[in-house]
Amino acid sequence: EVQLVESGGGLVQAGGSMRLSCRTSGFTYERYVIGWFRQGPGKEREGVSCISNSDSSTYYTDSAKGRFTISSDNAENTVTLQMNNLNPGDSAVYYCGARPFSDPESFCSVSYTMDHWGKGTLVTVSS
């Protein structure tokens, strides 16, 4: 059974940093693209950053470039999102997602309910 468990959310002031982790199990890690997505109040879910576990290629949406860094620990089957210089617009529930045999840009650009998802972790950035 595919399992994705997010951790690391909470409350942070604008300009601060936060690290999110996604611990995975139940699938062949190297065959998957893992991504971070977010859904703010009244908004649709959007991709933030994705990484391929087969070749370590990454993709960042414009809002994440220069501020967020995604990394994968293949030994621990864990993907981490380091978020710096946060602003209130980054407040959302952040979800970890996974898709096999894909690429980071494709997964981050268009995600589906049928992809694998964690339950999410809430990030709140105060002004």
Side-chain angles (χ1 to χ4, degrees):
E1 177 187 3
V2 174
Q3 289 191 328
L4 307 171
V5 180
E6 303 96 338
S7 62
L11 175 65
V12 65
Q13 288 188 332
S17 298
M18 185 174 287
R19 177 174 293 185
L20 305 181
S21 292
C22 175
R23 179 167 52 85
T24 75
S25 62
F27 58 91
T28 304
Y29 192 73
E30 292 76 15
R31 297 178 181 176
Y32 276 70
V33 173
I34 307 292
W36 285 97
F37 299 75
R38 67 187 184 186
Q39 187 168 16
K43 298 181 179 179
E44 293 187 354
R45 183 177 59 207
E46 62 175 355
V48 175
S49 181
C50 295
I51 185 167
S52 167
N53 289 333
S54 63
D55 64 9
S56 299
S57 58
T58 59
Y59 176 81
Y60 295 90
T61 55
D62 288 344
S63 63
K65 288 179 182 176
R67 299 190 301 132
F68 296 0
T69 302
I70 192 170
S71 60
S72 178
D73 185 336
N74 285 28
E76 297 292 330
N77 290 0
T78 298
V79 171
T80 299
L81 184 69
Q82 176 67 42
M83 304 187 293
N84 299 326
N85 193 22
L86 288 161
N87 60 67
D90 295 314
S91 297
V93 177
Y94 282 71
Y95 296 93
C96 178
R99 178 188 293 174
F101 305 117
S102 185
D103 66 271
E105 182 172 358
S106 295
F107 186 29
C108 260
S109 297
V110 182
S111 62
Y112 302 102
T113 303
M114 66 178 65
D115 293 315
H116 302 288
W117 299 100
K119 294 182 178 181
T121 186
L122 178 63
V123 173
T124 303
V125 184
S126 63
S127 57

